[in-house]
Amino acid sequence: MKRIHTFFTKSRSKKAKSWQTNLALSLGCFLLAFLFTQTQARKQQEDLAARLAPSVLRFHILADSDSKKDQQAKLEVRSLILDFLKENLPDYADKKDTVAYLAANREAIETIANTYLRQQGFCYQAHLQLTNCYFPTRNYGSYVFPCGYYDAARITLGKGRGHNWWCVLYPQFCFVDEACTGIPQKSSSLLLQELKQDDYLAL
């Protein structure tokens, strides 16, 4: 009887181990398939971003920190600079013109931001950089700009370690009011003209 009991105990133990092994293998296969799908989806988004990038200029502001005062300063600087560009950037400006204008007026733009920061008692300054950097996927109204590398006008406030704010500077997709979801018709038309139809529809 003891031998029979030992036999059934070992048998149950083997079955349990076999079941656990099969479960682990199944979960491993599922995880690999999921990661593969995610990787493929991300690659497709980045490929689309690479095709969009020549027609797009992003706008990126990094706050000094995540403190309430620094985050508010970030939003105020954003609004001041967008107002300045709206008033002074020529209506006919395309992406190349916009980049050239930002480069030529870098000092004036930084002065606007730094004057505000100084008046509010902040000890740090703003620095404008024209760069190419990675952006996460972002919704603008009914448009979804995929993750990937884009040319950008990036303003760093102080150490730039706080949460950032970004938009599309060209074509105009910058919303100061987060509740605003209406895309300017001119911006939509510019994208439609510059992009292939399939890429435009993918947005």
Side-chain angles (χ1 to χ4, degrees):
M1 289 295 293
K2 185 176 181 181
R3 289 182 179 179
I4 295 175
H5 175 74
T6 302
F7 172 78
F8 281 111
T9 300
K10 289 182 177 179
S11 178
R12 285 196 298 268
S13 178
K14 288 181 180 179
K15 287 181 179 179
K17 289 181 179 179
S18 177
W19 179 83
Q20 291 172 353
T21 300
N22 290 335
L23 177 61
L25 288 173
S26 298
L27 290 174
C29 290
F30 175 79
L31 179 60
L32 287 174
F34 175 77
L35 291 175
F36 177 77
T37 301
Q38 291 293 98
T39 300
Q40 288 297 103
R42 181 169 184 144
K43 185 179 184 305
Q44 289 177 355
Q45 290 186 29
E46 291 178 344
D47 288 345
L48 175 58
R51 297 194 297 273
L52 299 176
S55 303
V56 173
L57 179 65
R58 307 294 291 263
F59 186 52
H60 190 203
I61 300 183
L62 294 89
D64 180 66
S65 76
D66 283 334
S67 72
K68 185 175 181 179
K69 289 183 64 176
D70 287 335
Q71 286 295 310
Q72 184 60 38
K74 173 193 71 178
L75 298 179
E76 292 295 338
V77 168
R78 168 210 65 185
S79 298
L80 288 170
I81 293 174
L82 289 180
D83 287 345
F84 173 81
L85 295 176
K86 184 178 180 180
E87 293 174 6
N88 295 281
L89 191 63
D91 292 336
Y92 60 81
D94 58 13
K95 178 184 174 180
K96 184 177 179 180
D97 295 327
T98 302
V99 171
Y101 183 87
L102 289 167
N105 292 273
R106 185 196 310 268
E107 185 176 342
I109 292 170
E110 289 179 344
T111 297
I112 290 171
N114 290 331
T115 298
Y116 167 80
L117 294 172
R118 185 172 60 254
Q119 289 174 346
Q120 299 302 313
F122 293 99
C123 59
Y124 53 80
Q125 292 188 321
H127 298 281
L128 170 61
Q129 179 185 14
L130 296 171
T131 184
N132 184 276
C133 53
Y134 193 88
F135 285 82
T137 300
R138 182 71 172 177
N139 292 9
Y140 297 98
S142 59
Y143 291 81
V144 180
F145 279 77
C147 59
Y149 285 91
Y150 295 86
D151 293 330
R154 182 167 63 189
I155 294 177
T156 303
L157 303 181
K159 297 178 182 178
R161 294 178 179 174
H163 277 80
N164 52 186
W165 186 92
W166 55 78
C167 71
V168 178
L169 193 56
Y170 180 86
Q172 174 66 38
F173 278 72
C174 283
F175 299 137
V176 174
D177 180 4
E178 293 295 338
C180 179
T181 57
I183 303 297
Q185 182 59 43
K186 181 180 178 181
S187 299
S188 298
S189 298
L190 286 171
L191 280 178
L192 184 58
Q193 291 172 18
E194 297 189 21
L195 302 178
K196 292 181 179 179
Q197 186 176 16
D198 288 347
D199 288 341
Y200 179 79
L201 293 175
L203 286 176

